[in-house]
């Protein structure tokens, strides 16, 4: 009979002291087990409040939430509690007047999020702005708030106009009036806190300026492919006709008007994303024949304007040059600008450049969309929300359809083009991407009949895009519902955030040395990401994602960028991260980035060599199985070694006995 060596007993002793359930399975049970979208309730938030912004207010790298109470004056921050899987109230501000919009941002370049609050002025044709400085210990300084010069009713947007990594504002000044672009240049000097935060200047724009629409879909996003954010503007001629302007960023030479044109009749809010995964930012927007007083668009169409510019070269050895002319982008040089990029908005004659299809082709029971939230005054535009919910690398969309008094949120997946798929050629199946409504596992969305807005977010930073549905409360089920995305997709993701270089990318300090913190959470509007990746069949593709391109009218965009990678057996080949810094190299190239991770980029205004990168790995759900497999393999190997050891010991004993009985006859 063989005995287990004492060196192996320690592996079994802990099991004797575990409760019965833990002795069988030592890992904690899953919070959600169903392969579907799951209602998670209000998760600790005031059920009657309105969520107006996202941000990492306590710098713990978890997404927090800012709400506005029914009085439209009380702002409350809710921080995320990872252990209890819930939000908890952190700080509240009672603003002296009605709140129109809130933009979280590090306006004082201290590594803390401040709050820029916009309110209607007494003249009703202006917007007053107030900045509540963030405190190192948490919360905001409501006693020493900073007054910011007013704007017109077209809400200004944050942008780093002069490339110093400080947040400026761009819009129209209340003094100069409509039709005159204005720059709120950030001149904050911490050593002189009594000096004004912004200096009003004429922006360095070269071209014919338009009058900004209100509401608008203005954005800071890279449209010519050089990883340097440009400016997209929606204009109004005063007669209800909308047009657009694209101003290309030339760094120290300012912005140059590159493209302009009319928008189709009935155009609603515009969203930006790389729809066909070709490494360029496209535009998606609905058009409706008319909009009723309750914000419902009738006879609506969905429009996709694809960005036409240089594509990805077929091989890494291809320089992309033909007779000195750039015809494609090499995989290791994605940030090459294309001065000939263009959008053919409204031109359906060009194959694939502009796609337009009726809403009823996706939703046979409805031809109407909710395009404005009239429960808030003035009404808020409701864009089509884009996000990669199934991690296949192609953005999906959220839309609220209207049927009578029912307002139902819907998740629509982006799918490959085949015959009969919406958005593709009806007979040939040609096209870039098709669209299909999610029907299985989305019952929680179908049961909602009073939605007023929807948005994507990642609850608990677990690598899946969840859904926030804000409701009118008419059905008596509250006004906030979080929907957990618990679908299992055999694919990878990446999360990234570019910070603003505060505190020289090191530790920040408060009023004394004990108040030390890292500048996490201070997202940088206008950052851009481009990457290449190989799928399981070895096909290389490129994609582009913008960071926080829109902040106006409760846009509810997350401070980080989230993008699915699809199925891959490899690392991310090249990840280009661009900013609006006015240095020779405004971007960096990171090679071999690990999927299912979070990348934090701390840029510098000097050169790309001084940028810092931090990568945080997320333990996946497979970690317990890997641990179990490793432990099982160790037991198996231990048994094999034990058996071989005992066999060897027995053979040695037999050989010793035979040797002891051997008689040396030569010695006799």
């Amino acid at each position: 009979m063989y005995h287990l060596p004492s060196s192996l007993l320690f592996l079994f002793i802990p099991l004797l002291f575990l409760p019965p359930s833990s002795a069988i399975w030592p890992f904690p049970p899953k919070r959600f087990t169903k392969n579907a979208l799951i209602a998670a309730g209000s998760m600790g938030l005031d059920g009657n409040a309105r969520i107006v912004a996202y941000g990492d207010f306590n710098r713990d790298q978890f997404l927090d939430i800012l709400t506005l109470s029914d009085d439209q004056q009380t702002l409350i921050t809710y921080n995320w509690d990872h252990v209890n899987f819930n939000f908890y109230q952190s700080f509240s501000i009672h603003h002296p007047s009605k709140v129109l919009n809130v933009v979280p941002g590090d306006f004082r370049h201290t590594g803390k999020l401040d709050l820029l609050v916009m309110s209607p002025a007494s003249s009703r044709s202006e917007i007053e702005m107030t900045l509540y400085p963030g405190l190192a210990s948490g919360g905001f300084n409501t006693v020493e708030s900073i007054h910011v010069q007013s704007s017109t009713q077209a809400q200004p947007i944050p942008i780093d106009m002069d490339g110093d990594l400080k947040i400026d504002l761009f819009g129209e000044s209340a003094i100069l009036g409509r039709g005159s672009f204005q720059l709120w240049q950030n001149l904050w000097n911490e050593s002189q806190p009594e000096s004004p935060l912004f200096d009003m200047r004429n922006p360095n724009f070269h071209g014919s300026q338009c009058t900004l629409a209100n509401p608008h879909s203005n954005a800071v996003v890279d449209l010519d492919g050089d990883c340097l954010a440009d400016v997209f503007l929606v204009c109004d001629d005063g007669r209800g006709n909308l047009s657009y302007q694209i101003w290309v960023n030339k760094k120290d030479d300012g912005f140059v008007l590159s493209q302009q044109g009319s928008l189709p009749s009935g155009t609603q809010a515009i969203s930006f994303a790389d729809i066909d995964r070709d490494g360029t930012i496209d535009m998606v927007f609905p058009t409706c024949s008319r909009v009723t007083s309750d914000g419902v668009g009738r006879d609506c169409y969905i429009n996709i304007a694809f960005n036409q510019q240089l594509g990805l070269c077929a091989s890494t050895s291809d320089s992309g040059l033909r007779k000195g002319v750039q015809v494609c982008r090499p995989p290791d040089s994605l940030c090459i600008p294309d001065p000939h990029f263009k959008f053919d908005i409204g031109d359906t004659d060009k194959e694939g450049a502009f796609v337009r299809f009726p809403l009823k082709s996706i939703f046979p029971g409805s031809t109407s969309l909710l395009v404005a939230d009239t429960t808030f005054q003035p009404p808020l535009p409701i864009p089509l929300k884009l996000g990669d919910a199934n991690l296949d690398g192609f953005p999906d969309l959220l839309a609220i359809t209207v049927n009578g008094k029912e307002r139902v949120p819907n998740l629509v997946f982006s799918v490959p083009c085949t015959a009969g798929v919406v958005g593709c050629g009806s007979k040939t199946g040609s096209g870039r991407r098709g669209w299909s409504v999610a029907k299985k596992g989305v019952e929680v969305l179908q049961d909602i009949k009073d939605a007023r807005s929807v948005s994507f977010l990642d609850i608990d930073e677990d690598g899946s895009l969840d859904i926030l549905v804000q409701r009118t409360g008419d059905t008596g089920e509250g006004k906030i519902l979080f929907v957990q995305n618990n679908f299992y997709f055999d694919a990878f993701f990446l999360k990234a955030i570019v910070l603003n270089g505060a505190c020289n990318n090191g530790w920040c300090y408060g009023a004394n040395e004990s108040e030390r913190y890292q500048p996490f959470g201070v997202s940088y509007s206008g950052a851009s990401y481009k990457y290449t990746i190989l799928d399981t069949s070895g096909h290389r593709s490129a994609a582009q994602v913008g960071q926080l391109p829109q902040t106006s009218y409760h846009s509810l965009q997350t401070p980080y960028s989230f993008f699915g990678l699809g199925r891959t057996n490899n690392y991310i080949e090249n990840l280009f991260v661009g900013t609006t810094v006015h240095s020779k190299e405004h971007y960096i190239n990171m090679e071999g980035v690990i999927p299912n991770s979070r990348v934090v980029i701390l840029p510098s205004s000097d050169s790309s060599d001084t940028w810092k990168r931090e990568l945080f790995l997320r333990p996946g759900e497979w970690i317990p199985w890997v641990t179990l497999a490793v432990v099982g393999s160790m037991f198996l190997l231990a048994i094999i070694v034990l058996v071989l050891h005992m066999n060897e010991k027995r053979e040695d004993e037999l050989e010793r006995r035979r040797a002891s009985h051997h008689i040396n006859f030569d010695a006799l």
Side-chain angles (χ1 to χ4, degrees):
M1 182 176 180
Y2 301 112
H3 297 280
L4 189 68
S6 59
S7 60
L8 295 179
L9 286 176
F10 76 95
L11 295 174
F12 295 96
I13 290 177
L15 298 178
L16 301 177
F17 299 95
L18 293 174
S21 59
S22 300
I24 299 174
W25 183 251
F27 305 111
K30 288 186 176 181
R31 188 178 300 273
F32 304 106
T33 58
K34 187 177 180 181
N35 187 27
L37 297 180
I38 300 173
S42 62
M43 304 191 72
L45 270 66
D46 180 2
N48 293 319
R50 174 188 296 270
I51 297 176
V52 294
Y54 299 136
D56 182 6
F57 297 111
N58 59 351
R59 302 176 296 278
D60 63 351
Q61 301 194 58
F62 285 98
L63 188 68
D64 306 316
I65 281 177
L66 179 69
T67 67
L68 179 64
S69 299
D70 281 343
D71 61 4
Q72 295 191 17
Q73 292 182 245
T74 304
L75 295 166
I76 302 176
T77 57
Y78 287 87
N79 293 342
W80 176 251
D81 186 347
H82 173 66
V83 175
N84 296 316
F85 202 79
N86 217 351
F87 290 99
Y88 65 93
Q89 183 174 335
S90 173
F91 195 84
S92 64
I93 299 174
H94 185 77
H95 193 64
S97 57
K98 178 181 177 181
V99 175
L100 295 179
N101 189 41
V102 184
V103 180
D106 184 12
F107 291 90
R108 298 176 304 132
H109 216 243
T110 58
K112 305 182 294 291
L113 277 183
D114 310 313
L115 290 183
L116 180 66
V117 180
M118 302 181 185
S119 304
S122 57
S123 64
R124 298 184 180 272
S125 61
E126 302 177 8
I127 290 179
E128 292 181 343
M129 293 183 285
T130 304
L131 186 79
Y132 292 102
L135 300 174
S137 57
F140 303 92
N141 189 341
T142 58
V143 178
E144 299 176 345
S145 59
I146 300 174
H147 172 73
V148 179
Q149 296 89 332
S150 301
S151 75
T152 63
Q153 288 184 330
Q155 296 180 8
I157 59 175
I159 179 176
D160 179 15
M161 188 73 70
D162 49 3
D164 61 355
L165 291 175
K166 294 182 180 179
I167 302 178
D168 309 311
L169 293 175
F170 172 80
E172 293 175 335
S173 169
I175 298 176
L176 298 178
R178 301 188 66 192
S180 298
F181 293 170
Q182 191 72 37
L183 173 66
W184 287 254
Q185 186 173 14
N186 194 324
L187 298 179
W188 176 257
N189 188 341
E190 191 172 3
S191 62
Q192 298 177 350
E194 68 280 357
S195 61
L197 176 62
F198 295 108
D199 182 27
M200 306 297 289
R201 298 183 180 181
N202 293 324
N204 194 7
F205 274 52
H206 305 289
S208 177
Q209 300 179 7
C210 68
T211 300
L212 300 182
N214 177 42
H216 57 69
S217 301
N218 297 348
V220 182
V221 63
D222 174 30
L223 296 176
D224 66 345
D226 60 354
C227 301
L228 184 66
D230 309 307
V231 174
F232 178 89
L233 301 178
V234 177
C235 310
D236 189 349
D237 64 357
R239 298 186 297 272
N241 300 318
L242 299 180
S243 60
Y244 70 95
Q245 289 187 341
I246 298 176
W247 296 80
V248 174
N249 194 338
K250 298 295 183 181
K251 295 185 180 178
D252 290 334
D253 294 330
F255 289 77
V256 177
L257 181 59
S258 174
Q259 186 176 344
Q260 60 182 335
S262 299
L263 291 170
S265 176
T267 294
Q268 306 302 317
I270 301 174
S271 305
F272 298 86
D274 186 356
I275 298 299
D276 54 348
R277 197 176 180 177
D278 65 345
T280 64
I281 297 293
D282 310 308
M283 297 192 300
V284 182
F285 58 92
T287 54
C288 303
S289 61
R290 62 187 180 92
V291 179
T292 62
S293 59
D294 56 354
V296 177
R298 305 294 184 184
D299 299 324
C300 296
Y301 285 73
I302 293 179
N303 307 265
I304 305 174
F306 290 99
N307 195 337
Q308 303 170 66
Q309 57 175 272
L310 295 174
L312 182 67
C313 296
S315 65
T316 56
S317 60
D318 190 348
S319 65
L321 294 173
R322 303 290 186 273
K323 297 181 179 181
V325 178
Q326 196 80 40
V327 297
C328 63
R329 292 188 177 98
D332 57 353
S333 301
L334 293 183
C335 294
I336 297 175
D338 182 3
H340 305 294
F341 83 99
K342 62 178 180 178
F343 291 94
D344 290 317
I345 298 179
D347 189 356
T348 57
D349 294 334
K350 293 190 176 182
E351 182 66 26
F354 184 78
V355 176
R356 183 173 188 264
F357 51 88
L359 184 70
K360 63 182 179 182
S361 61
I362 303 181
F363 307 101
S366 178
T367 61
S368 301
L369 275 176
L370 188 65
V371 297
D373 180 7
T374 57
T375 63
F376 189 88
Q377 292 299 323
L380 299 170
I382 302 178
L384 297 173
K385 292 293 185 177
L386 300 173
D388 192 358
N390 56 2
L391 306 182
D392 64 349
F394 297 92
D396 311 305
L397 63 85
L398 286 172
I400 301 177
T401 58
V402 180
N403 188 1
K405 293 185 178 181
E406 295 183 351
R407 288 156 170 74
V408 182
N410 296 270
L411 175 61
V412 184
F413 286 127
S414 174
V415 297
C417 267
T418 57
V421 175
V422 176
C424 310
S426 58
K427 295 182 180 179
T428 62
S430 62
R432 305 199 186 191
R433 294 300 293 179
W435 303 91
S436 176
V437 179
K439 297 180 179 178
K440 185 177 180 180
V442 295
E443 292 79 10
V444 61
L445 294 181
Q446 296 172 351
D447 291 340
I448 299 173
K449 308 299 181 184
D450 61 343
R452 63 179 177 182
S453 74
V454 288
S455 63
F456 284 110
L457 76 163
D458 183 6
I459 301 174
D460 200 42
E461 308 295 327
D462 60 358
S464 64
L465 274 189
D466 308 302
I467 299 173
L468 165 66
V469 182
Q470 302 204 68
R471 314 172 67 170
T472 62
D474 293 341
T475 60
E477 300 179 40
K479 295 184 177 181
I480 295 177
L481 175 65
F482 290 97
V483 179
Q484 180 78 22
N485 182 356
N486 206 50
F487 284 117
Y488 172 75
F489 297 107
D490 186 16
F492 294 96
F493 72 93
L494 185 71
K495 298 183 73 171
I497 182 171
V498 175
L499 306 183
N500 65 347
C503 310
N504 294 320
N505 293 332
W507 287 93
C508 301
Y509 295 90
N512 53 68
E513 292 290 328
S514 62
E515 294 180 344
R516 193 178 75 155
Y517 58 92
Q518 288 186 285
F520 291 134
V522 287
S523 183
Y524 182 76
S525 296
S528 181
Y529 307 93
K530 277 190 173 184
Y531 68 90
T532 58
I533 197 167
L534 295 172
D535 61 19
T536 53
S537 61
H539 177 262
R540 178 181 289 105
S541 61
Q544 184 174 13
V545 181
Q547 176 174 292
L548 202 62
Q550 296 169 307
T551 56
S552 303
Y553 306 98
H554 301 193
S555 58
L556 285 181
Q557 295 187 357
T558 57
Y560 52 77
S561 293
F562 181 101
F563 32 102
L565 303 175
R567 299 185 63 189
T568 180
N569 298 325
N570 209 336
Y571 299 106
I572 300 174
E573 286 187 311
N574 296 280
L575 174 63
F576 288 84
V577 183
T579 65
T580 52
V581 171
H582 290 185
S583 61
K584 182 179 179 181
E585 295 294 339
H586 60 272
Y587 61 88
I588 59 171
N589 179 17
M590 302 175 61
E591 298 181 351
V593 177
I594 302 173
N596 280 21
S597 61
R598 178 187 179 100
V599 180
V600 179
I601 308 297
L602 299 98
S604 172
S605 58
D606 298 331
S607 67
S608 60
D609 296 335
T610 58
W611 291 23
K612 293 183 180 180
R613 306 109 162 133
E614 296 185 12
L615 187 141
F616 299 88
L617 293 176
R618 172 191 169 269
E621 295 180 355
W622 40 266
I623 290 295
W625 297 101
V626 172
T627 304
L628 188 64
V630 171
V631 173
S633 300
M634 290 176 59
F635 271 107
L636 180 61
L637 291 175
I639 293 173
I640 294 174
V641 170
L642 177 64
V643 172
L644 293 177
H645 171 73
M646 299 305 295
N647 286 339
E648 182 69 19
K649 185 176 181 181
R650 184 177 60 180
E651 292 294 333
D652 290 344
E653 181 67 20
L654 292 176
E655 185 175 350
R656 187 187 66 79
R657 290 180 180 180
R658 285 195 298 267
S660 64
H661 290 84
H662 179 71
I663 299 176
N664 190 348
F665 292 96
D666 294 335
L668 296 176

